[in-house]
Amino acid sequence: ISFNKSYQNNEVSFDLSLTSTRMFLDIFRFILFLKQQKPNIIFCHNSTQALIPLILSKIVGVKKIIYFNHGITYLGYRGFFKFLFYNLEKFNAFFSHITVTVSPYMKKKLDKIKPNAKIIHNGSACGINLEKMVFKLYQNKEPPIKKVIISFLGRLHVRKGINTLIKILNYFNNNNKVKFNFFGFTEEEFLKFSKKKYQNLQCFGFVKDPSLFLKKSNILILPSLHEGLPYSLLEGMLNQNLILANNIPGIDDLIKNGHNGFLINENNSENYISLINDYLNNNPDLAAYFGSNTEGAIKCDIY
């Protein structure tokens, strides 16, 4: 929150989530806070969590209300949930003055709801101008000595494609050439979801700097059902991982199929498995995209 007058540099917390037992109390506290401090600008993020603070800011009369959309949730759903999340975006747009987003495709979709979306580039959460992005091929990595390491970065949520990951894990569970490293949740949390232990899987929980691990990784998988401009792909490309990802908007702004990674139609687990097997078996068709052999890798240079 930005103020006309100086404000002490401390954190004030309000739990405005719909599942909170103290939501109504914190709504009252938040309204008092806004009236007392009279902020010039309020900046809200996350499709499902922005709505209540957006509404309250509108009621109090904040001069500039900004809604930051990093990913359009309804794109990953069908039926009732698609209808629900689409209308949520309409409410978010109605109660804000400006919508800020991260890619041309996201802007195009959001402008159909309300033509006030702007793309933020340098200095943003994902400070990239996609129209000026240049992809280059590199062969920096040494051949894997023992096992091919396959990584995933994300939350333990169905919309992150966890069910597709489980199908891939089931196929490679007894394969001693492959190791899976998952980041964002613990092994205990994953066991509750999968109901099965995997001998070649290690879950690291939340990791502050995943690049320390991705430097040793060979393949990064992102089977999300919807994305804005995913950090994990940027991390993977930075660390020369082969990218295998779902062919959806947001991801296809970064990955050009067969050039700097592979896009999987319909998030088909068999296609992920086939490409991983090609990598393991040094398939020449796969190698052609990365130089003379599959030890080649990808780096994304941004100018």
Side-chain angles (χ1 to χ4, degrees):
I1 302 177
S2 174
F3 301 93
N4 272 325
K5 55 187 178 181
S6 63
Y7 187 71
Q8 288 183 342
N9 185 23
N10 56 17
E11 182 177 310
V12 183
S13 177
F14 305 93
D15 188 350
L16 303 176
S17 59
L18 293 174
T19 56
S20 171
T21 56
R22 53 177 296 161
M23 181 188 70
F24 291 106
L25 174 62
D26 275 10
I27 284 176
F28 179 72
R29 289 179 58 238
F30 188 58
I31 290 173
L32 288 180
F33 177 81
L34 293 179
K35 285 185 175 182
Q36 290 169 358
Q37 302 301 328
K38 296 181 174 59
N40 303 320
I41 301 170
I42 190 161
F43 187 90
C44 302
H45 173 49
N46 189 307
S47 297
T48 57
Q49 296 178 20
L51 182 60
I52 293 177
L54 286 172
I55 292 172
L56 298 179
S57 301
K58 191 82 168 181
I59 291 171
V60 172
V62 177
K63 293 178 182 178
K64 186 66 70 174
I65 304 170
I66 302 172
Y67 166 51
F68 178 30
N69 181 291
H70 186 240
I72 304 175
T73 306
Y74 78 82
L75 294 176
Y77 292 87
R78 297 178 182 176
F80 172 74
F81 284 105
K82 188 179 186 73
F83 171 81
L84 179 67
F85 287 124
Y86 175 78
N87 281 280
L88 179 62
E89 292 295 350
K90 290 179 71 173
F91 279 114
N92 289 342
F94 175 78
F95 287 106
S96 59
H97 299 110
I98 298 173
T99 297
V100 175
T101 191
V102 292
S103 72
Y105 186 88
M106 299 295 122
K107 173 177 167 56
K108 181 180 177 181
K109 286 292 184 182
L110 291 167
D111 276 343
K112 288 182 178 180
I113 296 173
K114 183 180 178 181
N116 71 340
K118 298 183 181 298
I119 302 172
I120 190 166
H121 297 313
N122 296 326
S124 72
C126 289
I128 298 171
N129 188 335
L130 292 173
E131 295 175 354
K132 295 183 178 180
M133 179 178 286
V134 177
F135 294 103
K136 289 187 177 182
L137 301 180
Y138 286 78
Q139 289 183 283
N140 291 341
K141 283 203 171 181
E142 296 295 326
I145 298 173
K146 293 182 179 179
K147 293 185 178 182
V148 169
I149 298 176
I150 301 173
S151 299
F152 167 80
L153 284 74
R155 285 175 288 155
L156 187 59
H157 197 286
V158 170
R159 75 174 186 87
K160 285 294 184 180
I162 299 297
N163 289 330
T164 299
L165 282 177
I166 288 175
K167 291 177 182 179
I168 297 169
L169 281 171
N170 284 332
Y171 179 89
F172 288 104
N173 191 32
N174 296 315
N175 192 319
N176 58 11
K177 295 181 180 179
V178 178
K179 180 186 176 185
F180 290 89
N181 287 346
F182 289 177
F183 304 91
F185 45 85
T186 65
E187 292 185 11
E188 291 76 15
E189 290 170 332
F190 187 70
L191 180 60
K192 290 180 181 179
F193 190 100
S194 65
K195 311 299 182 185
K196 180 178 177 179
K197 283 192 174 183
Y198 296 92
Q199 61 182 19
N200 53 359
L201 168 66
Q202 186 171 3
C203 298
F204 290 85
F206 174 78
V207 174
K208 188 174 182 180
D209 186 3
S211 64
L212 298 174
F213 295 88
L214 291 178
K215 288 175 182 178
K216 299 179 180 180
S217 176
N218 306 102
I219 297 173
L220 185 133
I221 296 181
L222 185 62
S224 294
L225 303 183
H226 71 88
E227 285 287 346
L229 196 66
Y231 282 142
S232 58
L233 295 188
L234 301 176
E235 293 273 11
M237 287 189 285
L238 178 65
N239 290 284
Q240 298 91 51
N241 280 222
L242 168 61
I243 304 297
L244 307 180
N246 191 13
N247 189 8
I248 57 170
I251 288 178
D252 65 8
D253 280 324
L254 284 173
I255 303 301
K256 308 306 175 188
N257 191 43
H259 179 65
N260 65 325
F262 289 92
L263 297 175
I264 311 298
N265 292 329
E266 303 296 328
N267 219 18
N268 190 319
S269 60
E270 293 182 2
N271 289 344
Y272 285 101
I273 291 167
S274 177
L275 286 167
I276 293 170
N277 277 325
D278 283 346
Y279 189 97
L280 292 172
N281 299 323
N282 294 315
N283 187 303
D285 293 332
L286 180 66
Y289 291 111
F290 305 105
S292 60
N293 55 57
T294 52
E295 289 108 40
I298 302 302
K299 184 174 182 179
C300 171
D301 279 359
I302 302 162
Y303 298 92

